[in-house]
Amino acid sequence: MAQLQVTQTRSAIGGKQNQRETLRTLGLGKIGRVTVREDNAQVRGMIQVVNHLVKVEEVD
């Protein structure tokens, strides 16, 4: 199954509470942190919430 590498590129300061919580759920929280997640509907939905704060790359 494909995986997604999610990198936080912008700060969550000033963002909504649900966006900060979504970053924590993805395993992020500081600029530059990277996490690898499975590519499924739940993760895609979380990425959609914070797409302006993260960069996503597909990893094989």
Side-chain angles (χ1 to χ4, degrees), residues 13-24:
I13 294 174
K16 296 179 180 178
Q17 181 69 26
N18 69 324
Q19 293 172 351
R20 292 193 298 269
E21 291 172 358
T22 301
L23 285 174
R24 287 286 177 199

Side-chain angles (χ1 to χ4, degrees), residues 2-57:
Q3 293 187 332
L4 301 173
Q5 178 177 323
V6 185
T7 306
Q8 185 172 349
T9 58
R10 298 189 63 192
S11 173
I13 294 174
K16 296 179 180 178
Q17 181 69 26
N18 69 324
Q19 293 172 351
R20 292 193 298 269
E21 291 172 358
T22 301
L23 285 174
R24 287 286 177 199
T25 303
L26 285 170
L28 304 170
K30 291 185 178 181
I31 296 174
R33 284 218 177 138
V34 178
T35 186
V36 177
R37 298 288 176 175
E38 288 193 28
D39 187 5
N40 57 37
Q42 291 83 11
V43 173
R44 289 278 180 168
M46 288 189 276
I47 290 171
Q48 185 65 35
V49 172
V50 293
N51 65 351
H52 59 290
L53 303 176
V54 299
K55 178 177 74 170
V56 181
E57 299 172 349

